[in-house]
C-alpha cells in the first residue's frame, strides 16, 4: 500500500519526500557507478579487449549490485514502505539489477561490437539510462 504523500517545510522550501529519496538514490548509485566502472574498465580494456568488452559487464555488475543492495536497502529506501519477510526483497532486487545488467550488456554490445567504439563509450549512455530505470523499479516493486 502506498503511503500518502507528505510535504515538509524546510528552510522556507517545500520538499517532496521523493526528492530526498531520489537524492540518496543518486549518491548511492554514484558510489555503485564508481565501483562498476572500476571493475568494468580494466576488464574490458586489458582482459577481454574492446571486441569482447560485453563479457566484462556481468563481473562489474555483480560487484556493483552487492554494494548497491547494501546502500539502497539501508539508506536510499530506508523507511519507504514495508519489508517483506525472508529473501523476497533480495530476490526482487536481484531481478531489478538483472534488468539493469541486460540494459548495460545491450548498450555495451551495440557500442563496442556493432559501432566499434572504445570500451569506455558505453558507460555514458548506460550510466544515464540504467539508474533511471532501476530507481523506479526499486521504488515501485522492491522497496514499496
Amino acid at each position: 500500500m502506498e503511503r500518502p504523500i507528505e510535504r515538509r517545510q524546510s528552510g522556507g522550501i517545500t520538499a517532496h519526500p521523493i526528492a530526498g529519496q531520489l537524492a540518496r538514490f543518486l549518491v548511492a548509485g554514484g558510489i555503485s557507478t564508481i565501483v562498476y566502472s572500476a571493475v568494468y574498465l580494466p576488464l574490458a580494456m586489458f582482459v577481454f579487449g574492446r571486441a569482447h568488452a560485453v563479457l566484462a559487464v556481468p563481473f562489474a555488475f555483480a560487484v556493483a549490485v552487492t554494494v548497491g543492495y547494501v546502500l539502497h536497502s539501508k539508506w536510499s529506501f530506508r523507511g519507504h514502505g514495508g519489508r517483506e519477510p525472508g529473501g523476497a526483497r533480495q530476490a526482487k532486487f536481484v531481478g531489478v539489477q538483472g534488468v539493469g545488467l541486460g540494459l548495460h550488456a545491450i548498450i555495451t554490445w551495440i557500442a563496442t561490437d556493432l559501432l566499434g567504439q572504445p570500451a569506455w563509450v558505453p558507460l555514458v549512455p548506460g550510466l544515464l539510462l540504467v539508474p533511471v530505470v532501476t530507481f523506479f523499479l526499486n521504488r515501485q516493486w522492491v522497496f514499496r
Side-chain angles (χ1 to χ4, degrees), residues 39-54 56 119:
V39 175
Y40 166 80
L41 281 173
L43 287 174
M45 294 173 75
F46 304 115
V47 176
F48 298 114
R50 181 188 53 88
H52 302 288
V54 72

Side-chain angles (χ1 to χ4, degrees), residues 54-144:
V54 72
L55 298 175
V57 172
F59 296 103
F61 224 79
V63 176
V65 162
T66 302
V67 170
Y69 181 76
V70 171
L71 291 172
H72 292 310
S73 66
K74 302 291 184 196
W75 190 53
S76 300
F77 294 101
R78 74 169 186 258
H80 178 74
R83 297 296 184 236
E84 296 177 69
R89 181 175 54 168
Q90 291 87 347
K92 287 179 179 181
F93 185 81
V94 169
V96 168
Q97 297 314 309
V99 170
L101 170 63
L103 288 171
H104 270 296
I106 290 167
I107 292 166
T108 301
W109 177 72
I110 289 170
T112 58
D113 289 358
L114 293 182
L115 302 176
Q117 296 297 309
W120 64 266
V121 170
L123 289 175
V124 177
L127 298 177
L128 295 173
L129 174 65
V130 174
V132 172
V133 172
T134 58
F135 173 78
F136 286 106
L137 288 174
N138 276 310
R139 180 169 169 74
Q140 296 303 318
W141 189 48
V142 178
F143 298 104
R144 59 182 182 94

